[in-house]
Amino acid sequence: MTSPSAEAIRQDGPIGPAPVPCGAKAMAGHARRPLRMAVGIASAGRPSILQETVDYLTALPDQAKRLIVCVPAIDDAAGLADRLDVEVIVGSRGLTSQRNRIIQAAADTDVLIFLDDDFIPAAAFLSRMAAVFAANPDVAIATGEVLADGILDGGLSMSNALQVLETAAEGAEQVTEVYNAYGCNMAVRLSPILEHALTFDEQLPLYGWLEDVDFSRSIARYGRSVRVEGARGVHLGVRSGRQPGRRLGYSQVANPVYLIRKGTMSKGRAITQIGRNILANMRGLLFNDRLIDRWGRLNGNLLALSDLLVGRASPSRILEFGNPSPREMPSPSITTKRR
């Protein structure tokens, strides 16, 4: 599945050696060979969406060395299990758990690009990410440029995404520092992850709200966190298979508090985000927002605040909630998760 354009050659630039210690011989060997790239997708309950995205990825001129899909049940990857151009593995349900399985499976590669099952990258996305990691050995995690996010307006179709990509002007490749990567497209250097046994926190269950912040700040101890302008894509924001509003609302409060205690999110950022989410849910309820279950989210916000007062708030509490939901909820957009 590898094309030369997707494999930039790693070079030691003026910024110095990679932050992860290794021997001189190993460094010299890395400098002579292409970066090995892998793409990893965690998915659940959305086989048709997953297959559409995989079909798109495998038709691109730039290919990663490996394309790995992790699902909680083989039926979630219907149509993919017998294909030779994708590796399907089964892991425990939950974004953080599934992404950890992908890390284990991709341990023989250099850079792993996590994509949501409804993120559609531009044709040059992989090669631009590869070039940044090759030229900047101190970059540990990177995120691309989201041209459109369907979560903001009810979801986008594949044809919508392709139109956005085709009409967008070519963007210059610029690398800027960022607090955290956006989980729908997140590239990580595997050497510090493997050396320091970094994992996605499985105490953030199901959708894993703010798992991207937590992981970004954990790996930032060993390298830079950057945004790559020019590595572009579209997030469809498909609404099926997402967690109910009450669960997400609870996570909007409980998860930032958990990350404060853990030390991977500053108190100021966490409190600001909690306040912004609660206000957005109240405003949506007041103005009858039909796209999002604002009442369910606000109910979850209030329950989490109540649990905080009695000392029982925990991200895993959402596993105790039942599944009656008026409709399926979308994943959070980059706007609502902006730190």
Side-chain angles (χ1 to χ4, degrees), residues 95-101 103 112 114 141 183 186 188 193 197-204 211-216 262:
L95 180 64
T96 54
S97 175
Q98 288 170 244
R99 285 188 165 173
N100 285 337
R101 288 284 288 111
I103 288 173
L112 173 58
F114 289 108
I141 186 167
M186 187 164 62
V188 297
I193 292 173
L198 301 179
T199 59
F200 286 88
D201 190 340
E202 296 185 20
Q203 294 302 308
L204 303 175
E211 104 294 340
D212 47 4
V213 178
D214 179 59
F215 194 79
S216 294
K262 186 178 175 181

Side-chain angles (χ1 to χ4, degrees), residues 300-327:
N301 294 159
L302 297 175
L303 179 58
L305 290 173
S306 174
D307 280 356
L308 276 175
L309 291 176
V310 297
R312 59 179 278 178
S314 166
S316 62
R317 267 271 280 157
I318 63 173
L319 298 176
E320 302 172 19
F321 300 169
N323 289 313
S325 171
R327 53 187 169 176

Side-chain angles (χ1 to χ4, degrees), residues 3 6 65-66 70 82 95 101 121 143 145 156 165 174 188 206 215 238 262 264 297 317:
S3 74
K65 182 179 180 65
R66 299 172 64 188
C70 183
D82 296 327
L95 180 64
R101 288 284 288 111
T143 194
E145 183 181 358
L156 298 172
L165 293 174
Q174 294 183 318
V188 297
L206 302 181
F215 194 79
V238 179
K262 186 178 175 181
T264 53
R297 290 191 185 186
R317 267 271 280 157

Side-chain angles (χ1 to χ4, degrees), residues 27-317:
M27 284 297 290
H30 285 317
R32 287 193 298 267
R33 65 165 173 79
L35 283 175
R36 297 164 299 183
M37 307 285 291
V39 171
I41 300 175
S43 183
R46 306 174 359 147
S48 61
I49 296 163
L50 175 62
Q51 182 167 352
E52 186 176 40
T53 300
V54 167
D55 287 344
Y56 171 83
L57 291 173
T58 53
L60 290 176
D62 283 348
Q63 295 288 310
K65 182 179 180 65
R66 299 172 64 188
L67 173 57
I68 305 168
V69 169
C70 183
V71 290
I74 198 63
D75 288 346
D76 293 319
L80 300 179
D82 296 327
R83 288 176 53 164
L84 300 178
D85 53 357
V86 58
E87 303 169 42
V88 178
I89 57 177
V90 176
S92 301
R93 185 182 185 90
L95 180 64
T96 54
S97 175
Q98 288 170 244
R99 285 188 165 173
N100 285 337
R101 288 284 288 111
I102 292 171
I103 288 173
Q104 294 171 5
D108 65 338
T109 59
D110 298 305
V111 175
L112 173 58
I113 301 178
F114 289 108
L115 300 180
D116 275 5
D117 61 9
D118 60 350
F119 182 81
I120 309 303
F125 182 92
L126 266 67
S127 57
R128 291 205 166 190
M129 281 293 187
V132 167
F133 278 88
N136 302 278
D138 63 345
V139 168
I141 186 167
T143 194
E145 183 181 358
V146 180
L147 295 176
D149 196 336
I151 289 169
L152 301 176
D153 53 12
L156 298 172
S157 66
M158 177 66 82
S159 60
N160 294 146
L162 295 178
Q163 185 176 14
V164 170
L165 293 174
E166 289 170 4
T167 58
E170 186 70 17
E173 186 179 287
Q174 294 183 318
V175 179
T176 56
E177 307 297 316
V178 70
Y179 185 75
N180 63 273
Y182 179 28
C184 75
N185 74 99
M186 187 164 62
V188 297
R189 194 182 297 276
L190 278 169
S191 53
I193 292 173
L194 298 176
E195 176 156 337
H196 300 284
L198 301 179
T199 59
F200 286 88
D201 190 340
E202 296 185 20
Q203 294 302 308
L204 303 175
L206 302 181
Y207 179 74
W209 171 257
L210 297 183
E211 104 294 340
D212 47 4
V213 178
D214 179 59
F215 194 79
S216 294
R217 300 317 301 163
S218 295
I219 198 173
R221 302 186 186 104
Y222 310 106
R224 293 164 59 203
S225 176
V226 302
R227 183 171 186 257
V228 182
E229 303 279 352
R232 297 173 152 189
V234 174
H235 189 205
L236 301 183
V238 179
R239 306 182 83 75
S240 64
R242 302 298 188 179
Q243 64 179 328
R246 185 168 180 244
R247 281 179 169 171
L248 180 54
Y250 191 93
S251 298
Q252 286 178 331
V253 175
N255 289 18
V257 171
Y258 173 76
L259 297 189
I260 291 173
R261 294 168 177 166
K262 186 178 175 181
T264 53
M265 194 172 189
S266 69
K267 184 178 294 186
R269 286 179 182 272
I271 292 173
T272 297
Q273 174 144 341
I274 291 170
R276 185 188 302 124
N277 290 332
I278 293 174
L279 289 175
N281 293 331
M282 293 175 66
R283 185 170 56 249
L285 192 61
L286 181 63
F287 290 100
N288 196 26
D289 182 355
R290 296 182 180 276
L291 291 177
I292 294 175
D293 178 17
R294 293 296 183 183
W295 169 247
R297 290 191 185 186
L298 185 59
N299 180 270
N301 294 159
L302 297 175
L303 179 58
L305 290 173
S306 174
D307 280 356
L308 276 175
L309 291 176
V310 297
R312 59 179 278 178
S314 166
S316 62
R317 267 271 280 157

